[in-house]
Amino acid sequence: MELKTRYFVQYSSVSMINSFLIPEEPFTSISIGIRDLETDFIFTLVQNMFSFPIFVVLENDIFEQGKNIILERNIPSFKFSSDGFIFKIDSFDTLEAICDITVDLALNGISVFIFYGQGLFKEDLVPSRQWNKPVEFKKLDFQKVETFIDVSEVGINIFSKNNKFNSPRKVSHFISASYSLDVESSDI
């Protein structure tokens, strides 16, 4: 019998919440920790939680392999700095390809942001980061954002207004059954 990769789900810590300049109300913040972050984990979660379009924001340069995937598949992007890209995703194939790139970046210590909502535009999702201040999306109207996800090398943080995802127990229903919930480390 193969052991499933374990994950935990908790309400986010204050330091995680404070690392972003977003309105506290009505967003609930949930953290999902996982030791071995994989494409399947993020792809399944995002696929189960959202419909299209979904927006993915990469702050830093994409590795050569990622650039090749984007060129080969002709994935449209909005370049907002010398090395930042925003993708509007409208298909499962594109979502899976971008999730591959997301995991590669996250495992190398680079955050990736995923947005879902109504009336979002790529140009409004440009992040502003300063070493001593929270990440801010200055042009973004957070009234239009239903859910915002920060992907990092140790898991993901979900900031959501949707009551389908407003507790660790509810979020766990959107994670693939091929992963195992660590109940003792979770707020369930």
Side-chain angles (χ1 to χ4, degrees):
M1 181 173 109
E2 183 179 330
L3 290 175
K4 294 180 178 182
T5 301
R6 293 172 60 104
Y7 69 93
F8 67 85
V9 184
Q10 300 175 338
Y11 287 103
S12 295
S13 68
V14 172
S15 64
M16 178 49 60
I17 293 168
N18 291 338
S19 64
F20 295 95
L21 193 57
I22 61 174
E24 287 183 32
E25 296 293 328
F27 286 93
T28 300
S29 181
I30 307 291
S31 293
I32 302 174
I34 187 164
R35 177 173 296 189
D36 299 314
L37 187 65
E38 296 179 6
T39 299
D40 175 61
F41 184 81
I42 293 184
F43 175 74
T44 303
L45 180 73
V46 171
Q47 172 184 295
N48 289 342
M49 289 174 72
F50 309 130
S51 58
F52 295 116
I54 300 164
F55 294 86
V56 177
V57 180
L58 309 176
E59 278 189 288
N60 293 308
D61 201 7
I62 302 168
F63 300 121
E64 200 60 40
Q65 177 184 357
K67 288 180 184 177
N68 290 338
I69 290 170
I70 291 165
L71 288 173
E72 287 170 11
R73 295 180 181 227
N74 199 26
I75 299 172
S77 64
F78 171 73
K79 191 168 185 170
F80 64 85
S81 68
S82 62
D83 52 5
F85 291 91
I86 300 174
F87 301 94
K88 181 178 179 182
I89 299 173
D90 290 315
S91 73
F92 291 113
D93 289 342
T94 303
L95 177 61
E96 188 169 30
I98 297 298
C99 284
D100 278 340
I101 295 167
T102 296
V103 169
D104 193 29
L105 292 172
L107 292 177
N108 282 284
I110 301 169
S111 288
V112 176
F113 308 119
I114 301 171
F115 285 90
Y116 178 73
Q118 298 298 316
L120 297 177
F121 296 99
K122 292 181 275 193
E123 299 80 10
D124 296 337
L125 302 174
V126 175
S128 172
R129 186 185 294 262
Q130 296 178 10
W131 72 272
N132 61 346
K133 294 184 180 179
V135 175
E136 183 177 10
F137 299 88
K138 292 181 179 182
K139 293 183 181 179
L140 183 57
D141 176 1
F142 272 94
Q143 295 294 336
K144 296 178 180 180
V145 176
E146 176 197 284
T147 303
F148 159 61
I149 299 175
D150 172 36
V151 182
S152 68
E153 61 189 318
V154 294
I156 65 174
N157 293 289
I158 302 170
F159 299 85
S160 186
K161 295 178 196 175
N162 191 323
N163 63 11
K164 291 181 189 176
F165 324 126
N166 67 354
S167 78
R169 179 178 301 283
K170 291 177 183 179
V171 168
S172 66
H173 295 295
F174 294 91
I175 297 171
S176 169
S178 60
Y179 294 89
S180 172
L181 175 64
D182 179 354
V183 176
E184 290 180 19
S185 299
S186 297
D187 292 339
I188 292 184

